[in-house]
Amino acid sequence: MKKLAVIFPGVGYTCTKPLLYYTASMAAERGYEIIRLDYGQDIHTFHGRTPAELEPIIKLAIKRTLPQLENVPFSEYDDIIFISKSIGTTIACQLETALQLKGKVHQFLMTPIPSTLRYLSDINGLFFAGTADPYMPESKIRAAARNFPDKTGGIFEGCNHSLEQKGDTLGALKNVRLIVECLDKMLKNA
């Protein structure tokens, strides 16, 4: 059985950061080939975070991501998962459609941004968010959890955009572990 995991980073949150590093490691342990995407240094160091500022950055990231994926023989894989963080969640959802993979991909969305929420009704997967995320209002997180309980992987009380609380290193490690355990369960059931 051929399996593929594509890792979609965020702005400033590259594939070497804890949530993406350990989820990719778990996927590799479970026999998934790993593709780690890179949008370019200018995007990874971008400082804007409003929806208006992010929209052109998302478009540019998609433009740069498509060539990294155009030669991937997706039809040869029995299981495909897109693991994403922050703007990567929107990019992963848009690319599922652009690459004509609708219904063939499991989405694992960590700390989605507001533009990702419109895709929740169409995806097969889970999202994880913190209630103190400065880029996603708590009210939107709670509404998404109410509207899509089967797609709510976890809501982390008082946690920021990295699913951490300042000054609580052990709590942050516990959250990473919970995320990786949820992914492991998803991969085993795929």
Side-chain angles (χ1 to χ4, degrees), residues 54-130:
L54 288 177
E55 194 58 38
I57 294 301
I58 290 168
K59 287 179 181 172
L60 179 59
I62 289 171
K63 181 180 176 182
R64 291 179 180 172
T65 300
L66 280 170
Q68 295 176 62
L69 297 175
E70 67 186 359
N71 294 321
V72 175
F74 287 104
S75 63
E76 294 178 11
Y77 291 93
D78 301 299
D79 187 34
I80 302 168
I81 186 162
F82 284 179
I83 299 171
S84 57
K85 168 85 175 74
S86 189
I87 69 162
T89 61
T90 295
I91 295 164
C93 290
Q94 288 185 18
L95 285 179
E96 180 179 341
T97 300
L99 295 168
Q100 299 178 354
L101 296 172
K102 210 72 172 135
K104 299 174 186 171
V105 170
H106 293 91
Q107 295 276 1
F108 197 82
L109 310 166
M110 297 178 285
T111 67
I113 58 175
S115 62
T116 307
L117 298 180
R118 66 178 167 252
Y119 300 104
L120 289 180
S121 62
D122 296 328
I123 66 151
N124 177 8
L126 297 172
F127 78 91
F128 301 83

Side-chain angles (χ1 to χ4, degrees), residues 7 19-29 34 36 83 183:
I7 314 301
L19 291 169
L20 292 174
Y21 176 84
Y22 287 109
T23 51
S25 293
M26 177 53 70
E29 272 184 40
I34 308 295
R36 290 174 180 84
I83 299 171
L183 176 66

